[in-house]
């Protein structure tokens, strides 16, 4: 039932024909900040339960919210990074419901007048294709605390550390048409937020999670009824949940049934979605503007200041890497994945061969770091050192082959390559006279093979090259060896 | 003893500074008065040890010549203000035993200015009421009595305990809060002064919230001078309250003796309503004459949307309250009725903890905010509120202040109105409009009803014009020469 029609990508073949999935996402991204959205307590992850809870967070009698300017700045920065409109006036509303991890009995959010409207994210698909996914809005809201139901046979435990932390809720238009597109969107969004420094995107820690709205329809037909799948905390689960839910809906419709508009949860164990028990479903939130807060008014000058301070974003960076360094789109994508990688690369590549630099970073260094379980920030080899190595390869001081040995030493000792080369005498031999002498010696001691080669056994060329390299302990310049050897053997 | 109690706050300050009395003596006199007037049920808790300790500290400071503006003055605190380490319940069972680990900003200001805390004063539960009959601590009795019978009368509400205490001289002054009239109306019923400042003057941090866009703390005192003294201390900009204003307070104490010559006072024609006591209309005219005799001009003005004020208030206030009271759920503090399911625990806890009036207002509030009704009720009420505010703004282009009665009647007997909510809500008809507009207003005791119970006149001024409220209020006070002794009827509570 789920075989894709190769002529129309993203369509699903059902029993009764083709189906299109329509997907919208609501991403909750925790704004990187030291303190919470309306109180001064710490927003840091990982503290012991209820360590980061102020009187305001615990909603003690008479306590009042006060807006954290930096969280607002992060939301504005994010909006600008997504190409959105910053609404200079926005309003905080109360979303009223009862739950033990919601101390106020309401969540301070934004309903009618969010701080950011519009925007878009370009997603990268396989085969170099790309699509633009529209953003409907971004608003600021408080996160709730955490309920732990498995710590005790008959009691639930409540940890309010997360209660009041600033969330940026990013709502997309229903523009995605497959789980892959949704995954690509979240990946790209996360990358943008990390570049902006407004969210660390660590889904395992809960700093980013998504709700998926999924419906199915006949290709380009009327929109179907959508269901919402809540609190997906990994890109893999987002994709799985979308596929599971689409399959479920298609089966129901093809069997003659209808889809109930409901909220569902994804069961990671079974890979299926299930309906929330009706009690878990939200009742009427009775939204109204929070009378403890004034409307949020921003000055255009302040917004402009933030705009001027935006870092280079992934798409622009990738384009520049291709343009400035002549990198392939593939290499550019890998290097543009994080600001850190790009900065590292540019330090290596400055004044050097861009392609060699790219290879040495993405293949050699990354490979070595992976093996050692290290990250780029803890690399034993600095970009300056790696850059020096690339330079020594480019100017012929050492061959690529020797460079690998030098690099292995650098990984261990964190020394500059020239020091190692000097110490171990690894300079490449490029003196044509010296090489010619070595070649003559090899030819002289292998006359039978020379005859065989001259009689047509071309493969033996490699043998001669190997012998010369052995004689030179690998230091002979391979290109020169090739040229002279060819000349001598071919008469 | 009684001479000590007869001193106003301003007089007591002078006596303390001149060392003719000590703070400890004064506090002891008030503690005795509190005990002697227990039958009024004005206090929910008398903090005698704390009061004595604070009085001792005041004496030490006075001796060193370091007296602060309220040094040594024994005051009562409405049980809506969080007082550190002292039980604070909003007179509700749901907060039984709750002792805050923090102090409200307003009371912090009072202690920093040297005031002495006598104890917590009774009020309507969560400040919801106009007669102090909804309190979980029992009703408060007005020290004033009808000259014709022996019944107990209500002190008004919600700051009934505060007003009764000041009237009975069991505190020299008291804090109150005013959302729709809860300072001014009980002050009028008890023959004392009550001042509601401009919204935002006093920090709401640490005051148990009823209706966030309306709540304001203010003083209840014997006279205008004392209320000005207390307000100057209570009011401050607080960056922990996002609705706090930093507009500087005028020097109120210097206003009390200024002339009102040349001022124009508005008499809102819509405040003449059916069913108001004739005596109140007479008093209103008397007040008008006093102001004219003092050189002011009185003109009729129109506040056309006045009749919508009560319904507007009784939509907005319960709506905000329904949300503000959601935190009283038995999870983190206060009384909890245990159950095995969360929703059952919520229901049982809140049913046991909240009284009937609070429950009623939470239900009304939830209803007017609910899907399908929000536009017709809450949104409409907020728009009407804007029109009511515009009425005042417009009127104030022609006049400097307004003169109105404070209440449509004098105090009524305990139990008479409590079952008829609509009649009860009508108590607020003259006070609610100024609350909705967020503008300052004061009630001055000005005369007596036929049965000898006090009646008040109200001065309303534009935002931040507390100086006008004090200046004009003083003029009314001087002319009224109101005898504040509840026993003057020979039927007082003592």
């Amino acid at each position: 039932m789920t075989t894709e029609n190769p002529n129309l990508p993203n369509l699903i073949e059902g029993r009764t024909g083709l189906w299109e999935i329509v997907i919208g996402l609501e991403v909750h991204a925790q704004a990187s900040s030291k303190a919470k959205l309306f109180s001064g307590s710490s927003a840091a992850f990982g503290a012991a339960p209820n360590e980061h809870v102020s009187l305001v967070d615990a909603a003690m009698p008479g306590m009042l919210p006060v807006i954290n300017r930096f969280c607002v700045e992060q939301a504005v920065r994010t909006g600008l990074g997504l190409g959105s409109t910053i609404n200079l006036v926005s309003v905080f509303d109360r979303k009223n419901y009862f739950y033990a991890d919601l101390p106020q009995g309401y969540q301070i959010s934004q309903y009618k007048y969010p701080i950011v409207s519009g925007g878009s994210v370009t997603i990268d698909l396989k085969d170099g294709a790309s699509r633009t996914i529209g953003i409907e809005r971004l608003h600021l809201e408080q996160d709730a605390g955490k309920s732990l139901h498995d710590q005790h046979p008959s009691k639930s435990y409540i940890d309010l550390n997360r209660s009041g932390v600033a969330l940026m809720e990013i709502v997309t238009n229903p523009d995605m048409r497959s789980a892959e597109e949704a995954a690509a969107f979240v990946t790209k969004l996360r990358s943008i937020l990390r570049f902006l420094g407004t969210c660390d995107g660590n889904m395992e820690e809960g700093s980013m999670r998504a709700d998926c709205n999924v419906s199915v329809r006949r290709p380009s037909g009327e929109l179907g009824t959508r269901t919402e799948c809540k609190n997906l905390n990994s890109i893999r689960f987002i994709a799985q949940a979308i596929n599971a839910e689409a399959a479920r809906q298609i089966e129901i419709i093809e069997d003659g049934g209808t889809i109930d508009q409901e909220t569902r949860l994804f069961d990671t164990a079974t890979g299926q979605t299930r309906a929330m028990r009706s009690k878990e479903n939200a009742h009427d939130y009775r939204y109204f503007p929070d009378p403890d807060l004034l409307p949020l008014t921003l000055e255009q000058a302040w917004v402009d200041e933030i705009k001027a301070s935006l870092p280079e974003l992934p798409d622009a960076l990738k384009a520049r890497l291709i343009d400035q360094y002549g990198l392939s789109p593939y290499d550019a994508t890998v290097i543009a994945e994080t600001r850190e990688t790009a900065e590292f690369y540019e330090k290596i590549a400055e004044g050097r061969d861009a392609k060699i630099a790219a290879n040495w970073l993405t293949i050699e260094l990354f490979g070595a770091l992976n093996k050692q379980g290290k990250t780029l920030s803890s690399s034993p080899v600095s970009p300056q050192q790696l850059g020096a190595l690339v330079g020594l390869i480019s100017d012929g001081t050492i061959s690529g082959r020797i460079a690998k040995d030098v690099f292995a030493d650098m990984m261990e000792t964190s020394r500059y390559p020239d020091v190692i080369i000097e110490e171990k005498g690894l300079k490449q031999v490029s003196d044509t006279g010296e090489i010619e002498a070595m070649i003559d010696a090899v030819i002289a001691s292998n006359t039978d093979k020379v005859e065989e080669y001259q009689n047509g056994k071309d493969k033996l060329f490699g043998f001669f090259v190997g012998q010369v390299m052995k004689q030179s302990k690998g230091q002979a310049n391979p290109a020169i060896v090739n040229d002279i050897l060819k000349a001598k053997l071919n008469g | 003893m009684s001479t000590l109690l007869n001193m106003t706050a301003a007089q007591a300050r002078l006596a303390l500074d001149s060392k003719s009395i000590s703070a400890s003596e004064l506090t002891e006199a008030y503690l005795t008065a509190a005990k002697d007037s227990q039958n009024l049920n004005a206090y929910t808790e008398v903090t005698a040890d704390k009061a004595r300790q604070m009085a001792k500290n005041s004496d030490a400071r006075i001796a060193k010549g370091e007296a602060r503006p309220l040094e040594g003055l024994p005051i009562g605190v409405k049980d809506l203000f969080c007082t550190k380490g002292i039980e604070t319940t909003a007179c509700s069972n749901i907060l039984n035993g709750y002792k805050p680990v923090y102090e409200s900003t307003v009371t912090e200001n009072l202690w920093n200015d040297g005031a002495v805390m006598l104890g917590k004063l009774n009020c309507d539960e969560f400040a919801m009421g106009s007669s102090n009959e909804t309190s979980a601590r029992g009703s408060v009795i007005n020290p004033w009595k009808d000259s014709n019978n022996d019944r107990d009368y209500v002190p008004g509400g919600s700051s009934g305990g505060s007003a009764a205490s000041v009237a009975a001289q069991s505190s020299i002054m008291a804090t109150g809060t005013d959302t729709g009239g809860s300072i001014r109306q009980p002050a009028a019923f008890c023959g004392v002064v009550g001042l509601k400042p401009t919204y935002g003057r006093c920090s709401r941090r640490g005051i148990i919230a009823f209706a966030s866009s309306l709540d304001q703390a203010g003083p209840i005192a014997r006279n205008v001078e004392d209320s000005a003294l207390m307000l100057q201390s209570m009011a401050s900009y607080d960056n922990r309250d996002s609705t706090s204003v930093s507009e500087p307070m005028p020097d109120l104490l210097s206003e009390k003796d200024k002339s009102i010559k040349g001022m124009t006072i508005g008499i809102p024609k819509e405040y003449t309503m059916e069913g108001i006591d004739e005596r109140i209309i007479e008093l209103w005219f008397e007040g008008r004459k006093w102001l004219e005799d003092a050189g002011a001009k009185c003109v009729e003005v129109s506040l056309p949307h006045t009749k919508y004020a009560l319904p507007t208030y009784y939509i907005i206030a319960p709506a905000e309250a329904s949300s503000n009271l959601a935190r009283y759920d038995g999870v983190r503090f206060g009384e909890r009725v245990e159950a095995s399911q969360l929703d059952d625990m919520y229901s049982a806890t809140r049913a046991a903890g909240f009284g009937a009036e609070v429950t009623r207002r939470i239900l009304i509030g939830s209803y007017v905010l609910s899907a399908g009704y929000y536009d017709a009720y809450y949104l409409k009420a907020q728009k009407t509120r804007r029109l009511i505010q515009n009425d005042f703004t417009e009127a104030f282009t022609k006049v400097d202040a307004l003169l109105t009665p404070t209440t449509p009647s004098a105090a009524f007997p305990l139990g008479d109105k409590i079952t008829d909510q609509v009649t009860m809500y009508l108590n607020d008809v003259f006070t609610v409009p100024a609350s909705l507009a967020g503008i300052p207003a004061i009630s001055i005791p000005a005369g007596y009803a036929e049965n000898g119970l006090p009646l008040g006149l109200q001065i309303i001024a534009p935002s931040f014009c507390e100086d006008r409220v004090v200046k004009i209020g003083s003029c009314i006070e001087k002319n009224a020469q109101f005898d504040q002794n509840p026993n003057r009827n020979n039927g007082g509570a003592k």
Side-chain angles (χ1 to χ4, degrees), chain A residues 104-138:
Chain A
Q104 289 159 154
Y106 57 86
Q107 172 197 35
I108 302 178
S109 177
Q110 295 188 301
Y111 182 56
K112 275 208 181 124
Y113 302 105
I115 186 171
V116 166
S117 300
S120 65
V121 169
T122 305
I123 58 173
D124 310 308
L125 304 168
K126 52 187 182 223
D127 305 333
S130 69
R131 279 196 67 210
T132 302
I133 307 298
I135 304 284
E136 189 195 308
R137 53 183 267 162
L138 178 157

Side-chain angles (χ1 to χ4, degrees), chain B residues 54 75-78 80-84 102-115 117 120 175 203 205-207 217 230 233-234:
Chain B
M54 290 172 91
I75 71 168
V77 177
K78 180 176 183 177
L80 214 57
F81 292 79
C82 288
T83 42
K84 185 172 178 176
Y102 48 93
E103 189 81 33
S104 77
T105 300
V106 165
T107 50
E108 179 95 48
N109 289 346
L110 292 168
W111 314 143
N112 285 343
D113 277 351
M117 174 160 149
K120 302 305 286 290
T175 67
S203 169
R205 180 185 175 275
I207 299 177
M230 195 171 179
S233 180
M234 291 170 78

Side-chain angles (χ1 to χ4, degrees), chain B residues 127-150:
Chain B
M128 299 184 196
S130 321
S131 63
N132 218 135
E133 290 173 290
T134 72
S135 170
R137 312 279 165 247
S139 299
V140 173
I141 298 171
N142 194 328
W144 290 78
K145 278 177 120 64
D146 185 331
S147 50
N148 305 318
N149 64 53
D150 199 41

